[in-house]
Amino acid sequence: GLIVPDVANPFFTEVARGVEDAASKRDYAVFLCNSDESATKEDRYINVLIQQQVRGVLITPADMKADRLETMRDRGISVTLLDREIKGRKQCSVSVDDVHGGQIAIEYLTGLGHKYIAWVCGPESIPQVADRGAGVAKAGKVANIEIETVRVSLMNAAKGEEAARKILELNAMPTAIFCANDLLALGVMRVLLENKIRVPDQVSILGYDDIEFAPSAAVPLSSIAQPSYQMVVTAADLVLHECEDGDNHEHQQIRFQPQLVERASTGKR
């Protein structure tokens, strides 16, 4: 079983591809479930997977506090967290150091001379958003610069457009905008270009995830890259090993490091 928050997000499309590749090599089939970050919908899918007697589940959980994961483990189902970190439990997880990702984004932009930066993000209840935001705040404090937070309810291109319109209404225009994912960044870019704001001459835009579409944007998008395929294959291997090794399986918490990919959407102040 594979439970992801939003299969329409190209990042999770790549996740699904990687899981299917790894599973098919071992003659496993994959049930793909889309939770929409809804704990209720996630519960329903977990119950279906339990009824289908799946061997293992890869999950990006909507709620880390719930006991859903323990419910699956009590039923003998191996569980590995994907794109979420877990500590203090006998369970595998594969994640990215998103605090570091937020930090290197702001360090990069301040290194280009930007001193007034907008941080466009989704709900802080999403762990990646909270972690990336923590990195943003940490780097902003060290650089002694102003960070303008623009929060939206969802992490898609339409909400990026909404965030851009909010930014256009500010008293002063930020010289750089860092977005919590590339979809938000692409939405922001679309509105700025429609309003004749030059990217990056007037405003630099930086995304996160480095999705497949990032290099093909109207202005090729700079992004903080996650090694998504490598993460997924690693997570799939962990859950399949647990399925096959049982009590002999050694749980691991693996964390990957994000990297900056510089393209045309960012430039010197």
Side-chain angles (χ1 to χ4, degrees):
L2 170 63
I3 304 177
V4 297
D6 182 9
V7 76
N9 184 326
F11 173 77
F12 288 107
T13 304
E14 292 182 30
V15 164
R17 175 78 256 184
V19 171
E20 201 278 332
D21 285 349
S24 65
K25 289 178 182 177
R26 283 183 161 98
D27 295 323
Y28 284 90
V30 178
F31 290 93
L32 175 60
C33 310
N34 186 70
S35 72
D36 290 323
E37 289 283 2
S38 163
T40 301
K41 194 172 181 181
E42 187 177 273
D43 275 341
R44 187 163 66 245
Y45 277 129
I46 287 173
N47 289 333
V48 169
L49 294 175
I50 289 172
Q51 291 166 12
Q52 293 296 322
Q53 298 181 319
V54 298
R55 292 287 303 279
V57 170
L58 278 167
I59 182 171
T60 306
D63 184 358
M64 293 289 288
K65 298 178 182 178
D67 59 0
R68 303 177 187 88
L69 307 182
E70 294 302 324
T71 299
M72 287 189 283
R73 296 191 67 81
D74 289 345
R75 298 296 186 96
I77 297 172
S78 303
V79 180
T80 292
L81 297 192
L82 178 60
D83 204 28
R84 295 285 194 274
E85 188 174 28
I86 193 163
K87 297 177 182 178
R89 291 192 197 177
K90 294 181 179 180
Q91 190 164 304
C92 290
S93 67
V94 177
S95 61
V96 169
D97 187 347
D98 282 313
V99 175
H100 181 60
Q103 189 172 350
I104 62 176
I106 299 302
E107 288 173 349
Y108 166 63
L109 293 173
T110 56
L112 292 174
H114 297 282
K115 297 181 179 180
Y116 181 32
I117 299 171
W119 160 235
V120 175
C121 59
E124 211 166 26
S125 58
I126 300 174
Q128 291 98 325
V129 172
D131 287 349
R132 292 168 195 177
V136 167
K138 182 178 180 181
K141 185 176 181 179
V142 169
N144 193 28
I145 62 161
E146 183 178 358
I147 304 288
E148 183 80 46
T149 298
V150 181
R151 199 175 299 280
V152 290
S153 59
L154 297 171
M155 303 264 282
N156 57 33
K159 290 299 181 181
E161 294 178 6
E162 177 185 309
R165 287 189 283 270
K166 291 180 180 179
I167 290 171
L168 289 172
E169 293 173 356
L170 295 173
N171 292 329
M173 188 72 182
T175 63
I177 301 171
F178 173 42
C179 299
N181 72 9
D182 287 344
L183 293 180
L184 288 170
L186 293 173
V188 167
M189 182 184 295
R190 184 181 301 136
V191 169
L192 294 190
L193 294 176
E194 286 174 354
N195 282 270
K196 311 301 181 186
I197 295 173
R198 297 187 306 279
V199 176
D201 296 343
Q202 292 175 277
V203 178
S204 287
I205 300 177
L206 177 63
Y208 202 112
D209 288 339
D210 195 31
I211 60 176
E212 184 179 357
F213 304 142
S216 304
V219 180
L221 180 67
S222 297
S223 187
I224 304 299
Q226 301 191 75
S228 56
Y229 194 86
Q230 187 180 359
M231 287 170 56
V232 170
V233 171
T234 300
D237 283 344
L238 286 173
V239 76
L240 290 169
H241 281 144
E242 186 175 358
C243 289
E244 294 161 1
D245 297 345
D247 293 339
N248 294 321
H249 176 74
E250 183 177 342
H251 294 292
Q252 300 179 60
Q253 290 75 45
I254 297 174
R255 180 194 281 184
F256 288 90
Q257 293 298 319
Q259 292 184 327
L260 171 69
V261 178
E262 188 174 9
R263 298 192 181 95
S265 70
T266 49
K268 291 183 178 180
R269 170 63 176 138

